[in-house]
Amino acid sequence: MSEAATPVDETAEEFIQRWAELNRDMQNIGASPEYERITRGCEPCQGAIERIAEIHAAGGFVEWDGMEITRIKKMYTRSYDVWATSAPTRYKNSESSPVERFKGGPHKFMLTLRRTADGFVVDDLARRPL
């Protein structure tokens, strides 16, 4: 988000960058009230929040440096294709489970956004083929 932009007046592109940062924080910390607020209407997002909370509650962890958004393209009135490169991930599903890894790499998503009085929110998230 630019120095002058607030969530109310940020562009869709600025919001998508902020969404990616909040997603990283939510996974590493196990909770993020701001991520939950901006994704409350997104079923796939809520599923991810629940799964991450389960991992942390069971004594597991997620270590992820997030993703770099490399391209954003407006597709429809409210939908954006988003290309990103994900950092590698280390995680444990519980305190007693082994450490597992995702190697990271390129991903593509379609984000469906809605502007509210408080700024953008995510209504849907879908993985797309590269």
Side-chain angles (χ1 to χ4, degrees):
M1 186 163 29
S2 69
E3 291 288 327
T6 65
V8 173
D9 62 10
E10 70 188 343
T11 66
E13 291 79 6
E14 289 170 328
F15 172 80
I16 291 168
Q17 292 285 352
R18 187 164 63 89
W19 163 82
E21 293 167 7
L22 291 168
N23 183 7
R24 177 201 61 220
D25 295 346
M26 179 272 300
Q27 292 197 38
N28 287 318
I29 298 167
S32 169
E34 180 64 4
Y35 184 79
E36 292 176 27
R37 185 190 70 73
I38 68 168
T39 62
R40 67 179 165 260
C42 172
E43 285 185 37
C45 302
Q46 294 302 306
I49 291 168
E50 290 170 11
R51 179 66 187 122
I52 294 297
E54 289 170 1
I55 289 171
H56 285 269
F61 65 83
V62 176
E63 293 176 351
W64 181 50
D65 285 339
M67 61 183 145
E68 176 187 358
I69 304 295
T70 57
R71 182 175 172 210
I72 300 170
K73 181 179 179 186
K74 187 171 186 173
M75 298 301 293
Y76 306 104
T77 304
R78 298 175 34 224
S79 297
Y80 296 79
D81 273 354
V82 179
W83 288 260
T85 302
S86 179
T89 306
R90 289 181 66 242
Y91 69 98
K92 284 179 67 167
N93 285 310
S94 69
E95 184 177 0
S96 61
S97 67
V99 173
E100 299 184 53
R101 290 175 168 76
F102 291 125
K103 67 178 184 174
H107 295 281
K108 183 178 175 187
F109 307 95
M110 179 177 276
L111 281 175
T112 303
L113 308 181
R114 178 171 40 90
R115 188 179 284 279
T116 69
D118 297 324
F120 284 104
V121 295
V122 178
D123 277 344
D124 197 18
L125 166 69
R127 288 199 184 263
R128 306 264 295 179
L130 288 170

